[in-house]
Structures are given as structure tokens and as C-alpha cells.
Amino acid sequence: MYESLGIFRHIWEVLSKLDLVLLISLIILLTLGGITLHSASGENAAMMQRHFIHLAIATVAMVISAQLPSHILTQWSVWAYSGGIILLVLVLFQGSMGGGAQRWLEFGAFRFQPSEIMKLAVPMMVASYFSNKTLPPKFLHILVAAVLVLIPMLLIARQPDLGTALLVGSAGFFVIYFAGIAWKWLIAMFISLAAAAPLLFYFGMEAYQRQRVLTLLDPGSDKLGSGYQIIQSTIAIGSGGVYGKGWLNGDQSRLDFLPERHTDFIFAIFGEEFGLLGNLILLSIYIFIIWRGLYLATCGIDTFSRLLGGSLSLTFFVYLLVNTGMVSGILPVVGVPLPLISYGGTSMVTLMAAFGLLMGLKKRKIGYGNA
Amino acid sequence: MSETRILKDEKEEYHLFRSRAVVAGLAVLFLLSVIGVRLFYLQISNHENLTQLAQENYQKRIPIPPVRGQIYDRNGIVLADNKIEYVLEVVRNIAKDMDENIALLQQLIPISQKEVSKFKQQLRVNSRFQPVILRSALTEEEIAIFSVNRYRFPGFAVNIRTERVYPLGSVASHVIGYVGRIDTRDLERLGKNEYKGSTHVGKTGIERFYEERLHGKAGFKKVEMDAHSEPQRTLAEESPISGEDLFLSLDLELQIKAEQLLEGKRGAIVAMDPRNGEILAMASVPMFDSNLFVNGISYKNYNALRDDMDRPLFNRALQGAYPPGSTIKPMAALAGLDAGVVTNKRSVKGRGFFQIPGTRRHYRCWKKTGHGHISLNRAIYQSCDVYFYDLAYRMGIDRYSKAMRKFGFGSKTGIDLPHERSGLMPTPEWKLKRHKTNWYPGDTVNVGIGQGYWTASPLQLAHATATVAMRGRRMMPHVLKAVRVSRNLPEKPVRPIALPSVSVKDRQWDAVVQGMVNVVHGPMGTARGSGAGAKYRFAGKTGTAQVFGIAQNKTYNAAKLAKRLHDHSLFVAFAPLEKPKIALSVIVENGGGGSAVAAPIARQLLDSYLLPKPKVEPETIQVDGDDKLKKEKQASDNSTLSDGNA
């Protein structure tokens, strides 16, 4: 009796680290995602089964990360970061080919992308770097932080995986932003980035990446080639209208006109089946989650927690912005999934782990938390 | 030390973070509202446009071609039929690894290397969405074998195709015409929607003239296609309406007979029912096999037909422009009588030539010694040129030409066949325009005997003869006799169209027709050999059209002239005399005198049409006809009387 009570007590201790509000919003989002994926997969039971397995693993990852206190995370940051860098270099040399780019490492039957680790490791590293510095930071500290961000970013961009590089880079950047980089430097940074954009376009990008940017400017120029996805996804969204065609009634998806419709382009299916109304509800849920993330970050127990929490929340936003922007045809096509809705285990686990970290970082004022 | 610094900065850092978080939150709201605006633009402003694009994406309208109507003769014998066959078709857009798949398929059903190379050639020509035939004439067993393995061959499918066949080959090929593959020129004149599923279209003859009736109305099937162009389900369907079956007025037996009589020659025969204008036979020889054109004639075959000196593709009956020669003398006589230029009683002195008063040029009669004093009746049955030189001269070209136009010369008859030629009934205005010279009295004299600038088609000649047979009542010639909209419905006859009649007094008709009767039945008639022994009475007129100009004071010597410069041999007739049922014209190019060649042919046709037929198989009739033909030929060769005009 006592022992069983003790087990409950342990479980309660573990669960109490979670944030109930964020948890409920995540459950709503994941439910919507499951419904959409059911339709986007063409009612593929096997795919749905795998999706639920991913979800289960991701939930466990979230619960575990929520238990990690900030001082331990600060210590782990360096190891996670340096380990990640080593793996990235390894991938560049002997990674197996996947989707036309070297992104994967194989351990027996298990394949994984080291770049995915960096989505968490980079902001942790930068946040821990700033955790014992005076804030707002000095110029030198910012420079060091920038190098810490740029090294993995460039390694990932070399694979090439522009989407992940973008996410890793912005995760690191957001830490610097929250650390309090002076606005004038921030503005100067944006201006120099804008000035470097043409150079980046002509010398930094692969041919197919350039093509994607050009396609965005004029999708009609290559209807069956690179413009096809954008055209088909805008057709899908637009034909959804205000109320949508209804669940499982999206013609574009049902008839296979939309490539990558269960992964990166799932937002088009959602828009087609649930219309503008559904889209606005979905965006509201995302906004609420981002708000809640930023709120939890503000409640962070120390500088490290705040910086990491803020960065993770805004990175989640970058996922959303880049994905919806590309699917609705206003941003170039880069491989960024719609967070927590697109099919795919790796990003699901990373994202849920990030939310776990966010939940675990907050200050506990009253006993076992206010969950 | 570091610890104290952290403690010292804690509050300030917290505030710094909070203000940064607020700015970030606002940025999030702003950027997501950009997405919101974009979604508003797509889903509300551009909704209709994009919905239409979505439908174009997956809704495909597949046309279903109608079954082409059949063509029959007046007795219901099939002239143009549809052969149904199963073909294996491939759509390049869907099919993958073409060579590999064909090799695999060859293990299942026999496909010859020749068929494969023809298929590949067609693939290059057709669009990648167009089905191209790989194998035709599939057996039921082959269809079964393929159907079982269909899933292995995406883009390959068995389809039904109907192919036009002309069971009688070249018989009446000029009238029936043929269908051929639709080309870009056809597409310009045809309704694009109606022909989306059709592959063939009428190119000449009845097939072309009644294309709309024969083709029918295309149906369609609106299907939902997935991105791989695999049909998912049918959204809407409308069945095609088959083309109408056409019953022609042609009498196949008479048609074949006519063609046989012209075999080995060049010429044309038009036989029509004068009472209603129905064309009973329209032969133009040499002929061609319509079947050659259905699936695209080979260059070799086409060049052979095109470059043939005898021009087999040319429909002489409809498009030939021949000087009508003496065959128009009955109409000329009627015109003269009506104008009061000649009378039934008055005679003209025939000296063997005619001179325009005040000139010296001789217009010779075919009979050099002259006919002496000659009446209208004799002028017709002996075909006296001088009489008609005089008639035309005194009538004047304007009145003469106007009177002949009433018989249809110089204008199209309006027959329901494409590419009819009007021939030429000359007038001074025409000559001034065409040749930039004045009309001379000598031109009138030549026109008086159906020569000079005057040209007419065999159809016009038959038509004018029918008008004489009906004493001025004219019917528009036509080939379509009845139409059957559906197999279950009775045939609907086509109403004959009456044309403005030629009004001449009855006794004048009597006089002229009597002259024509005497041509075949009179003891001195130019074609009395052909009239001999007839079991019915008929009326006719010989004609010889000059091809080669003969200098003054020279005689025409057939033996010395090249065959192609020989005169054309013509004959017109109608029968039976009392109640005419058939009027015809016969022309044999370079055949020589009208009485020698054309008239015996006409007699045989009249016999064949009017006399009760022995109950025998068609083959024996043909053999019979050949024998008869030979006998008649000998008979006509023996007859020394020839008619010619110069």
C-alpha cells in the first residue's frame, strides 16, 4: 500500500514537471495533426501506426527532458555540442546518401541525422556560454557566440540541408538576441545579410537551391518541374476556400497531385480540407503555443533557462513560418516540416524534447509547481 | 566573484529578457499575419480561379466518338461499312520503358517487328497523350491474355476501333469518296469539340458532302483522373449519337454495268431518273480503290494515282469539262424554235459548209457533200452542223447563251457532291473579261454546235437530257435518296427539289423529241445501229467533241492522229420514250465518233436498266455483260456510219 503510494508519488513528481497548459495545447495540435495525416497519407493505416510510435517515443523524450535541471543541461551543452560537430564532420565524409544529400548516419538498422541534435545542442551551447557573462553581452562575446553558431550551420549547409541549417542557425541567433545584443548591431547584421544575399545566391547556393528561389518568383516558368509543387499546393489551399472541402475530401491529395503531401506539404492538405477557417484556428493554436513557450521562458530559473527557452520557442515559430510560407508560395522551398503535424519521427522527437526542456526550465515557486 | 555578478544582474537581466520576449512576440504576430493575408488571398480572393485550376487538374473530359453512319445503294446493298476491331494502344505519356515492355508483351502475344517499327514511327508523330496503335486485329484469346497481365503494362490498353471499309473497293469510288485521317486542314473547318475523339473524316464524295450526317454527335465521359492519369471514377457521361445511315439513289447493278462498259477506256457515264433527279449511276473511269485512303495512303500508291496520265482520282462525271458537241443540238433546236429563228416546217439549204454573210471562212459540216435542203427533224437525226451554225448565228450569242443556261449549262446543277464544276456557257462579257478580246460572230457559230468555248460536264449533259425527257420540268440532281437516323426507325426519303422549268410549246417539244427518236430508230439516224432491235422506244443524240483543231481545207484522219488527240465520243439518251424513267449521258475520251463508241454503251445500259433481269448471280451477270459488250463492239465497228463535226 505504502509502496504503491510511493510509486504514484514518483509518477506525480515526474509529471508535475510538465506544464499543463502547454501540454493541453500540444495534445490539441497533435490530434489535429493525426487527423490531417490520416487524410494526407491516403488513409494509410501502416503510416498512421508508425506515426503513433513516433508520438510515443517523442512523448517519452519530452517527459525525460522535462526532468533535466538547468545546471545539468549547462554541463551537458559542451559535450552535446562538440559531439554533434564531430558527427557532422563524420557525415560529410562517410554519410550515406539520402534524398540526394549526405545527411544520415547509420548505426546498424538505426539511421539518424546528427544535424537534428544540433537543433538543441547549438542553443544550449550558446546559452551556457552566455550564462556566466554579463548581459547585455560585450562585442567579443557576441563574436564568439556567432562562431559557435556558424560552424555547425555551415557544416549542415554543406550536406546540403538548407532547412536544418536555417533552423540551427536561427536557434543560435535567438539566444544571442535574447542575451541582449544591441539593436544597432542587430540592424547592422540584417543589413549586411541583405547585402550579402546576392553573393550568397550566386556562390553559396547549389544549383537546385537557386532554382527553388527562382521558381518562387515565377512558378509558371516550369510547371511540371520545380514549379509543380508550389503550383499544386497553392491550388490545393486556394480551392479549399473558406470552409474547406471537408476531411478526406481534398481532391488534390486524394488524387496524388501533391508531392510530399504527408511530410513538408501537409499544410496544403489541411488548407484544402479545412479552409481558411481551419487555417486560422491552426495558426491560433500555434500562436498560443509560442506565447506559452515565451511565457515559460520568462519564468526561467536562471539566464541559461531563459535564453534556451526563448530560443526554442522562437525556433518553433521559424518552423511554422518557413513551412507555411513555402507551402503557400511566398517563401522558397526548403525542407522544413510543419511542426508536430508533418509525418517524420526525427523532427517529432526533437520538437517534443525541446518542449520538454522548456517545461522543465521554469522556476518552481510553490512546492511541486503550478502545473 | 562571478556568483555575485550574477546575483547583481539578475533583475536587470530578467527585465531585458522580458522586453526582448515582448518584441519577439510582436514579430511573431506580425509575420504570421503576413501568412494570414496570403491565405486570405489564396482562399478567398483567388478561390474561384484556383478551384477551376483544381478541376482542370483532375477532371478530364474523354470524348467518345460516335459510330459513323453506313452508306447503302438504293436497294440496301452496303457501299461503306464499319469494321469493328480490337486494337492494343499505348499512351506514351503514361507508359514507361517502352522497349522493355514491348519485349515483355511480345512473349505474351505475337507482335511482329514490322508492327513495332510502324508503331515507333507513329509515336514520333503523335503527341504523348495520344493513344497509338501497337497491334490491331486482336483475337479474343489475345485480349484475354493481355487483360490478365494488364497491370504490368501501364499505359497499354485494349480498345475498340471502328474502321471504314468499302466492301466493293473501287465501285462508285468517286461518288462514295473516302474517309481519311483528320489533318490540320480538316481541323480548321470541323467543330473541334465534335471531332476530339474521332480519327477519320470524309475527304471526298458523299463521305465528305454528308460528313455531318454520317459523323453523328460525339459523346463524352467526364472522369476523375489522378496525377498519373489513371481514371478513378466517372463523374458524368453522355452517350454518342451514331451517324445517320445514308441510302443513295445509285442502282449498284447499273453502276457496275456502267463501269464495266467503260473498262479500259477513259470516260464517264451519268444516268439519272428524270422524274425526280435521282442519280442512278455515276461512273468515272479509271477508278481508284477507296480503301487505300482509309489508313493513310502510302506515298508510292498516292504518287501512282496522282501521276497517272489517265487521272483516276479525277471525277470526270462531275468535274470534267468537255465540249458537249452535237449532243446539245436538241436543246439548241428548242431554243431556236422558241425564239422563232427556225420553225418545224422551214428548211435550210445545207451545202456542206456555212459562211457568215460577208466573210469567206467556211464552217464545215461533218458531211462534206452537205445535207441539201434540211428540216429541223432531219437536222437533229442527221446532226447537220450547217443548220445549227445558221441557227446560232441568226439567234445571236446573247439569246442563244441565255436559252442554254435555262437547261443548266454554265452553272452547277447543285448535286449533293463536293467539288462540282460549272463548265462554261460563254458570253461576250465572259470573253472580254477572260481573253480581253471581243466576241466574234465566228465564236457564235462554233458555240452553235457545242464547240468553241462551250464546256459541260457529263452530269450537266445528263441533266439537260432529262429536262428534254420531262419536257421542260427540271429536278435538281441528287445522290442521297433516303436517310435512316436509327436502325429501329424507317428510312426517311429525301424530298426532290424542283428547279425553274424550261417552258417551250408542246409541239416544239414533240418536234425535237421526234428528231431524237429518229437518231436511234429512224432509218437514217446517226445512231440507228444502237437503236436496232430495242424492246422499247427511246430518244438519243450522238456527239463528237473535237479535241484537236483542224486547219481549213484539211480532213480529219483518225488513224494519223495520236490517240489522245482523237475526238471524244458522246451520247445522250432517255427512255422509255413514252414515260421516261432514265436519262443518261455517255462520254468516252478520245473514243472517236459518238455513234461508234458512246451510243452502243448507252444502249446496253438502257437494256440493263429497263429490261427484266434474269435471276442469276451477280458474277454471271458480269461475265454475261462482258460477252455482250464484245458483241456490241463488233457490231458497232461494223457499222460504217459515223458522225463527226468539225
Side-chain angles (χ1 to χ4, degrees):
Chain A
M1 188 72 175
Y2 175 78
E3 271 193 8
S4 66
L5 260 177
I7 288 167
F8 282 126
R9 200 180 163 78
H10 278 293
I11 290 174
W12 172 245
E13 220 168 288
V14 165
L15 290 181
S16 68
K17 296 264 172 50
L18 301 176
D19 178 62
L20 190 62
V21 177
L22 187 55
L23 190 65
I24 289 170
S25 1
L26 287 176
I27 288 169
I28 293 172
L29 186 65
L30 287 168
T31 310
L32 264 178
I35 288 170
T36 313
L37 185 63
H38 180 64
S39 173
S41 69
E43 301 175 48
N44 183 337
M47 192 186 281
M48 290 309 287
Q49 201 178 350
R50 285 198 298 275
H51 180 67
F52 285 121
I53 292 171
H54 295 159
L55 258 182
I57 296 171
T59 309
V60 170
M62 178 185 75
V63 174
I64 291 172
S65 6
Q67 314 306 314
L68 304 172
S70 70
H71 61 97
I72 289 185
L73 286 174
T74 319
Q75 287 166 13
W76 287 8
S77 305
V78 186
W79 301 111
Y81 180 81
S82 7
I85 296 283
I86 290 165
L87 287 176
L88 279 179
V89 172
L90 225 76
V91 162
L92 271 192
F93 284 109
Q94 57 176 22
S96 61
M97 302 295 283
Q102 297 182 318
R103 298 175 184 175
W104 303 87
L105 266 188
E106 275 180 54
F107 298 104
F110 186 65
R111 291 204 319 169
F112 97 118
Q113 281 178 281
S115 56
E116 206 64 36
I117 295 177
M118 295 312 261
K119 285 178 183 170
L120 298 178
V122 166
M124 277 164 64
M125 182 64 221
V126 182
S128 80
Y129 174 71
F130 281 128
S131 65
N132 56 2
K133 307 280 183 303
T134 24
L135 298 180
K138 291 174 187 157
F139 183 72
L140 182 74
H141 297 154
I142 291 174
L143 217 62
V144 172
V147 169
L148 285 177
V149 177
L150 279 173
I151 290 169
M153 195 181 161
L154 290 176
L155 282 173
I156 295 166
R158 274 294 301 260
Q159 290 181 354
D161 184 354
L162 217 58
T164 310
L166 187 76
L167 289 167
V168 168
S170 45
F173 164 79
F174 290 135
V175 179
I176 299 174
Y177 165 77
F178 281 115
I181 180 174
W183 289 109
K184 55 179 180 183
W185 291 346
L186 206 63
I187 290 164
M189 224 167 94
F190 275 113
I191 288 171
S192 54
L193 200 72
L199 288 174
L200 203 70
F201 178 77
Y202 284 110
F203 302 109
M205 282 186 173
E206 298 276 327
Y208 84 95
Q209 291 164 340
R210 273 201 294 276
Q211 184 58 47
R212 281 176 177 184
V213 175
L214 291 175
T215 301
L216 176 76
L217 301 175
D218 181 16
S221 64
D222 187 9
K223 279 187 175 152
L224 290 172
S226 55
Y228 182 78
Q229 276 179 316
I230 293 183
I231 289 175
Q232 294 301 340
S233 69
T234 49
I235 285 176
I237 295 174
S239 64
V242 180
Y243 302 107
K245 296 176 185 171
W247 187 46
L248 299 178
N249 281 328
D251 302 305
Q252 290 286 105
S253 82
R254 192 164 46 81
L255 300 171
D256 211 6
F257 280 99
L258 204 61
E260 303 289 333
R261 61 175 192 274
H262 59 284
T263 56
D264 290 355
F265 277 80
I266 200 166
F267 182 59
I269 305 304
F270 186 88
E272 185 184 20
E273 298 191 350
F274 301 109
L276 184 61
L277 213 63
N279 280 338
L280 293 181
I281 291 170
L282 184 72
L283 287 183
S284 306
I285 296 170
Y286 274 119
I287 289 171
F288 184 80
I289 290 172
I290 294 162
W291 170 80
R292 186 70 189 170
L294 285 175
Y295 169 78
L296 290 177
T298 354
C299 303
I301 195 165
D302 51 19
T303 307
F304 173 83
S305 306
R306 284 196 294 268
L307 293 183
L308 181 61
S311 163
L312 293 177
S313 306
L314 286 192
T315 306
F316 183 71
F317 160 70
V318 170
Y319 269 96
L320 175 69
L321 182 74
V322 171
N323 182 272
T324 53
M326 113 189 157
V327 175
S328 62
I330 51 174
L331 289 179
V333 175
V334 284
V336 173
L338 185 64
L340 299 183
I341 292 189
S342 286
Y343 175 81
T346 326
S347 81
M348 176 77 77
V349 172
T350 316
L351 281 163
M352 290 295 273
F355 281 111
L357 290 179
L358 249 173
M359 293 173 179
L361 293 173
K362 69 176 173 180
K363 219 183 285 180
R364 282 170 199 92
K365 286 174 184 166
I366 316 145
Y368 286 114
N370 52 2
Chain B
M1 188 180 157
S2 69
E3 199 154 300
T4 47
R5 191 185 292 158
I6 290 168
L7 280 171
K8 197 181 78 183
D9 293 339
E10 177 63 23
K11 197 166 185 182
E12 199 183 317
E13 279 182 20
Y14 173 76
H15 284 295
L16 173 71
F17 182 85
R18 232 178 58 166
S19 66
R20 292 264 156 154
V22 169
V23 172
L26 291 175
V28 165
L29 284 180
F30 171 74
L31 289 171
L32 284 182
S33 62
V34 171
I35 298 287
V37 168
R38 172 67 178 172
L39 292 173
F40 185 89
Y41 167 77
L42 287 178
Q43 298 190 296
I44 292 183
S45 313
N46 231 355
H47 171 60
E48 270 173 42
N49 183 17
L50 289 170
T51 300
Q52 200 190 332
L53 283 178
Q55 281 175 4
E56 279 169 23
N57 243 351
Y58 64 84
Q59 285 183 8
K60 293 275 168 348
R61 224 178 121 98
I62 300 175
I64 310 172
V67 177
R68 196 174 176 84
Q70 284 162 301
I71 303 176
Y72 302 90
D73 90 327
R74 65 188 300 129
N75 299 313
I77 300 168
V78 182
L79 303 176
D81 204 352
N82 299 316
K83 189 174 77 188
I84 290 175
E85 68 169 357
Y86 291 89
V87 293
L88 183 60
E89 289 179 327
V90 184
V91 179
R92 180 157 53 109
N93 191 35
I94 307 171
K96 289 164 201 144
D97 309 322
M98 197 66 83
D99 290 327
E100 197 181 309
N101 272 332
I102 290 173
L104 277 174
L105 205 55
Q106 278 175 321
Q107 294 168 6
L108 298 173
I109 57 177
I111 303 168
S112 75
Q113 224 38 56
K114 203 178 160 190
E115 281 166 320
V116 172
S117 62
K118 195 182 169 191
F119 164 75
K120 285 190 174 161
Q121 191 189 332
Q122 282 290 315
L123 265 193
R124 278 196 294 274
V125 183
N126 284 286
S127 93
R128 56 200 189 99
F129 305 102
Q130 190 81 31
V132 174
I133 295 180
L134 173 59
R135 246 284 317 262
S136 47
L138 291 174
T139 64
E140 300 224 344
E141 197 190 338
E142 285 164 350
I143 295 168
I145 292 172
F146 175 76
S147 302
V148 173
N149 292 285
R150 190 190 179 293
Y151 70 95
R152 290 166 55 190
F153 303 99
F156 288 61
V158 170
N159 284 320
I160 293 184
R161 281 247 170 150
T162 55
E163 190 179 277
R164 199 60 154 175
V165 271
Y166 303 99
L168 299 167
S170 64
V171 172
S173 55
H174 288 104
V175 178
I176 302 163
Y178 52 80
V179 298
R181 289 230 173 85
I182 297 174
D183 58 35
T184 42
R185 258 192 318 177
D186 295 320
L187 278 176
E188 277 168 26
R189 69 186 167 91
L190 301 169
K192 279 208 168 75
N193 273 339
E194 277 303 308
Y195 282 84
K196 261 191 181 149
S198 304
T199 53
H200 286 68
V201 68
K203 298 276 188 180
T204 63
I206 286 290
E207 291 273 32
R208 162 106 186 223
F209 194 89
Y210 289 112
E211 172 60 30
E212 215 169 298
R213 282 171 181 267
L214 286 165
H215 182 261
K217 213 173 153 332
F220 69 87
K221 205 158 113 181
K222 206 182 203 177
V223 294
E224 196 181 79
M225 299 275 221
D226 68 6
H228 320 292
S229 299
E230 285 286 331
Q232 300 295 306
R233 63 192 167 115
T234 303
L235 302 170
E237 192 170 1
E238 195 176 288
S239 302
I241 298 168
S242 298
E244 296 170 8
D245 291 333
L246 304 185
F247 290 80
L248 304 188
S249 58
L250 292 185
D251 183 315
L252 192 64
E253 206 177 308
L254 190 68
Q255 177 76 27
I256 291 174
K257 181 90 183 166
E259 287 169 358
Q260 280 172 351
L261 289 171
L262 288 175
E263 209 176 298
K265 304 181 173 69
R266 280 167 286 116
I269 292 173
V270 175
M272 61 190 287
D273 189 329
R275 295 166 297 179
N276 48 25
E278 287 175 2
I279 300 292
L280 301 171
M282 181 182 274
S284 175
V285 175
M287 303 174 292
F288 58 87
D289 184 350
S290 296
N291 291 310
L292 287 177
F293 290 86
V294 175
N295 277 322
I297 187 165
S298 68
Y299 283 111
K300 200 177 130 205
N301 280 337
Y302 185 71
N303 289 344
L305 283 173
R306 192 193 55 195
D307 300 338
D308 191 329
M309 234 173 114
D310 295 340
R311 301 177 72 195
L313 293 175
F314 179 64
N315 185 357
R316 290 171 159 77
L318 203 61
Q319 296 166 296
Y322 302 98
S326 302
T327 54
I328 52 83
K329 281 175 182 167
M331 301 82 181
L334 282 162
L337 285 169
D338 192 46
V341 174
V342 292
T343 65
N344 199 8
K345 303 271 157 50
R346 199 173 140 256
S347 299
V348 171
K349 194 181 172 213
R351 289 180 296 171
F353 61 88
F354 171 79
Q355 268 180 308
I356 297 168
T359 67
R360 298 184 54 190
R361 189 188 160 104
H362 285 196
Y363 292 88
R364 286 179 290 188
C365 185
W366 64 271
K367 191 171 175 182
K368 279 166 281 176
T369 54
H371 290 98
H373 277 277
I374 193 160
S375 68
L376 180 115
N377 185 317
R378 211 176 125 220
I380 293 174
Y381 73 73
Q382 289 223 314
S383 201
C384 175
D385 289 343
V386 172
Y387 188 94
F388 289 95
Y389 288 144
D390 178 65
L391 184 150
Y393 177 73
R394 284 197 288 133
M395 210 171 156
I397 185 63
D398 290 331
R399 276 202 293 172
Y400 186 84
S401 183
K402 199 179 163 200
M404 286 303 141
R405 279 173 190 280
K406 286 188 178 166
F407 283 95
F409 291 110
S411 56
K412 292 178 181 176
T413 63
I415 192 171
D416 47 353
L417 284 172
H419 312 307
E420 187 188 1
R421 291 251 190 99
S422 61
L424 180 68
M425 186 68 233
T427 59
E429 294 78 42
W430 167 83
K431 194 185 174 194
L432 198 63
K433 212 174 143 194
R434 174 77 177 74
H435 291 287
K436 312 258 185 295
T437 50
N438 286 323
W439 185 269
Y440 300 116
D443 293 330
T444 311
V445 172
N446 273 333
V447 167
I449 57 159
Q451 290 281 160
Y453 296 115
W454 189 350
T455 56
S457 69
L459 174 66
Q460 284 174 322
L461 282 180
H463 191 214
T465 308
T467 307
V468 175
M470 295 308 289
R471 304 201 164 205
R473 244 185 65 209
R474 297 172 71 229
M475 303 301 292
M476 188 186 280
H478 61 269
V479 184
L480 185 63
K481 184 173 160 58
V483 173
R484 189 170 64 188
V485 176
S486 147
R487 247 157 221 272
N488 316 321
L489 294 174
E491 300 150 28
K492 217 178 99 198
V494 171
R495 199 183 290 271
I497 299 168
L499 295 172
S501 31
V502 179
S503 52
V504 180
K505 291 191 188 76
D506 272 350
R507 56 189 165 83
Q508 292 168 346
W509 285 116
D510 291 341
V512 170
V513 170
Q514 189 53 52
M516 290 177 77
V517 173
N518 290 344
V519 168
V520 287
H521 296 303
M524 297 289 281
T526 50
R528 59 184 181 276
S530 299
K535 290 189 176 121
Y536 49 89
R537 279 161 63 78
F538 67 107
K541 183 69 194 80
T542 53
T544 305
Q546 192 188 314
V547 176
F548 179 66
I550 300 162
Q552 293 274 309
N553 309 317
K554 289 270 173 68
T555 46
Y556 174 82
N557 188 337
K560 278 190 179 172
L561 278 171
K563 179 73 180 165
R564 276 182 195 275
L565 297 174
H566 284 192
D567 292 339
H568 295 329
S569 171
L570 290 86
F571 192 75
V572 297
F574 63 85
L577 181 63
E578 299 75 18
K579 270 187 159 181
K581 282 157 71 180
I582 178 170
L584 55 77
S585 69
V586 178
I587 178 158
V588 179
E589 286 178 20
N590 314 117
S595 57
V597 184
I601 291 175
R603 167 66 192 279
Q604 287 191 66
L605 281 173
L606 293 178
D607 279 355
S608 148
Y609 189 67
L610 296 171
L611 299 181
K613 291 163 191 81
K615 293 260 176 198
V616 276
E617 293 297 307
E619 280 85 355
T620 24
I621 289 178
Q622 282 173 17
V623 173
D624 228 292
D626 281 348
D627 288 343
K628 243 188 205 166
L629 180 66
K630 275 171 199 150
K631 272 178 216 154
E632 291 283 348
K633 220 175 179 177
Q634 281 161 5
S636 64
D637 286 345
N638 292 339
S639 77
T640 47
L641 194 88
S642 66
D643 122 318
N645 46 34

